[in-house]
Amino acid sequence: MRNSSGAEIAEGHYDIRKGAAAYAPIIGAFGALAIPTVTVLFTANKDSAPDKFIVLACGLLVVATIGSLTGSIGLAAIGAERDHTANLPAAVMYIAVPVAISIVAVLASFEVLAAIYLEEQKGLFAITTGVGGLAATYFTSFSVADSWTSGPSDPVLKTDWSRTQWISSKQVAYRKANLVAAVSASPVLAGLVLRLCDIHWGVNQRGANWLVAAGLVVSMVGTFAGVQRTKHAMHDSEQKGIRAWEAYSTSLGVGLYTLALLLFLP
């Protein structure tokens, strides 16, 4: 591609710092909206609802609140970055995990509430949980696409540095982003097919606790890893761009948690 002066140039890319700064307040507000629902569940008459359903619905909403609030803080921190260093795309992928889990958890809590109040329609809400999981895995993997723009600011140094990275060019970045999205979406698609075939297992009290605990663990691991990944390279060490195992583990973690919900929601 050539610009108006005839010089070779790769035109068009996203600045991940600006995107993170814009998403931070939206995600924070999303998490705060789950709090009134939790309050209603604790104060509502639950005589006709099994305790395990109340525990699961409340627990999932708490997971959503924690994931959204911690994720919004992490994204705001990335938005404050001054330089477009190579560690930022990986940091965003880690921090996107609690955000994605919060979205899936809210949708899953709606399914549990449907099982209490609209039992014949709970299958529809389970499908919406899966669709939300597909969107979450896609947006988590999206950071790979423009990770090629980050790295050393010196053009000569960046050319040599890029050859040692998993994402070495714009073409590689887009191809890998599509592959990561496809791999991470496969567990969700499998869960949707099973749910459409009415193949799933209900949970008991202990199972509800495990689903909530798993969401908290995955969210916190993503948050802490993202914060650690925002550390900048020292003056005598090179920048570390996004690595294959980071890209696949973050987005696939969201996909696998969505699969677990689809299999064990009532």
Side-chain angles (χ1 to χ4, degrees), residues 20 23-29 66-77 95 98-99:
Y23 279 124
I26 300 172
I27 294 167
I66 295 175
S68 294
L69 295 180
T70 57
S72 65
I73 294 171
L75 291 176
I95 294 174
V99 175

Side-chain angles (χ1 to χ4, degrees), residues 43 64 74 86 92 95 111 113 150 164 167 192 221 252:
T43 57
V92 167
I95 294 174
E111 196 276 347
L113 294 175
S150 61
T164 67
I167 301 299
L192 282 171
V221 168
L252 192 57

Side-chain angles (χ1 to χ4, degrees), residues 13-93:
H13 65 85
Y14 291 100
D15 188 331
I16 203 165
R17 298 167 298 173
K18 294 181 180 178
Y23 279 124
I26 300 172
I27 294 167
F30 175 78
L33 291 176
I35 297 175
T37 310
V38 174
T39 304
V40 171
L41 281 175
F42 276 130
T43 57
N45 184 356
K46 65 180 182 67
D47 292 341
S48 60
D51 286 347
K52 62 182 180 181
F53 286 179
I54 300 297
V55 169
L56 185 54
C58 286
L60 289 171
L61 288 169
V62 170
V63 170
T65 301
I66 295 175
S68 294
L69 295 180
T70 57
S72 65
I73 294 171
L75 291 176
I78 291 176
E81 289 281 349
R82 185 185 66 181
D83 301 316
H84 201 174
T85 51
N87 60 312
L88 296 185
V92 167
M93 289 199 75

